[in-house]
Amino acid sequence: MATSDKNAAVAEITEKLRDSNAAVVTSYTGLTVAQLKELRRSLGENAQYRVVKNTLTKIAAKEAGIELDEHLKGSTAVAFVTGDPVTAAKGLRDFAKENPALVIKGGVLDGKALSADEIKKLADLESREVLLSKLAGAFKAKQSQAASVFQALPSKLVRTVDALRAKQAEQGGAE
């Protein structure tokens, strides 16, 4: 590879690392071209899966201020995630279950290095939309509880006043 091509490749990888929310480093040895194509589809529109050269990726990661050196050994491909990292992590985990040749080495999420186990834990999370809907449901439930409490106070007051009035009428009739 000519020096100008190497410089262009480093610049491209650096840009992808900077523009990505997350990057997942994998080993793809033993996967066919058809399987790689299927993997790219399973990651969705917000992730791009690329086979990279380790030396160039180390240089690009250093320029982007990301620590990936320990994961860049052997055959390496990187999933650059620009959308929801949970969705991409799930796609990689599910594909790796069906195709054991794909090995998740590690990665980075918002500049923080992640191990392979941490990426698998990330894949076990529910998607952002599900978590937001659960949060909205919790807020709605708390509002309903507050409304019930506020409605209960006046009705309890009315019952107390009626009971007091009935007691006074009873005592007034007894005298």
Side-chain angles (χ1 to χ4, degrees), residues 4-172:
S4 61
D5 292 340
K6 289 179 183 178
N7 290 338
V10 168
E12 181 182 356
I13 295 169
T14 303
E15 182 180 335
K16 286 188 181 301
L17 286 170
R18 286 183 180 150
D19 293 345
S20 300
N21 300 337
V24 181
V25 181
T26 65
S27 174
Y28 64 92
T29 303
L31 293 176
T32 65
V33 173
Q35 288 171 324
L36 286 172
K37 189 175 182 181
E38 180 185 337
L39 172 59
R40 286 183 174 103
R41 264 188 267 131
S42 72
L43 290 177
E45 296 176 8
N46 296 326
Q48 188 178 43
Y49 190 74
R50 292 226 10 227
V51 174
V52 294
K53 291 191 174 288
N54 292 335
T55 309
L56 301 179
T57 306
K58 284 179 185 179
I59 295 167
K62 191 173 187 177
E63 286 181 13
I66 296 171
E67 184 60 43
L68 287 177
D69 288 359
E70 67 184 78
H71 306 300
L72 298 173
K73 294 176 180 98
S75 61
T76 304
V78 180
F80 298 99
V81 184
T82 55
D84 185 13
V86 174
T87 306
K90 283 182 185 197
L92 286 166
R93 179 201 59 198
D94 295 344
F95 188 85
K97 282 181 184 176
E98 296 173 17
N99 302 284
L102 179 74
V103 178
I104 298 173
K105 296 179 179 180
V108 63
L109 174 65
D110 293 327
K112 181 186 175 285
L114 298 176
S115 67
D117 290 335
E118 290 172 321
I119 291 173
K120 290 173 185 166
K121 287 178 186 175
L122 181 66
D124 292 338
L125 288 176
E126 293 175 330
S127 71
R128 183 176 189 271
E129 291 78 19
V130 171
L131 292 174
L132 287 173
S133 65
K134 284 185 176 184
L135 182 64
F139 283 142
K140 184 176 179 184
K142 291 296 179 190
Q143 288 176 343
S144 298
Q145 289 172 349
S148 297
V149 168
F150 293 138
Q151 289 175 344
L153 290 175
S155 64
K156 188 173 183 180
L157 178 66
V158 169
R159 286 192 303 270
T160 304
V161 169
D162 283 344
L164 185 61
R165 194 176 296 141
K167 187 175 182 181
Q168 286 176 346
E170 191 178 289
Q171 287 177 352

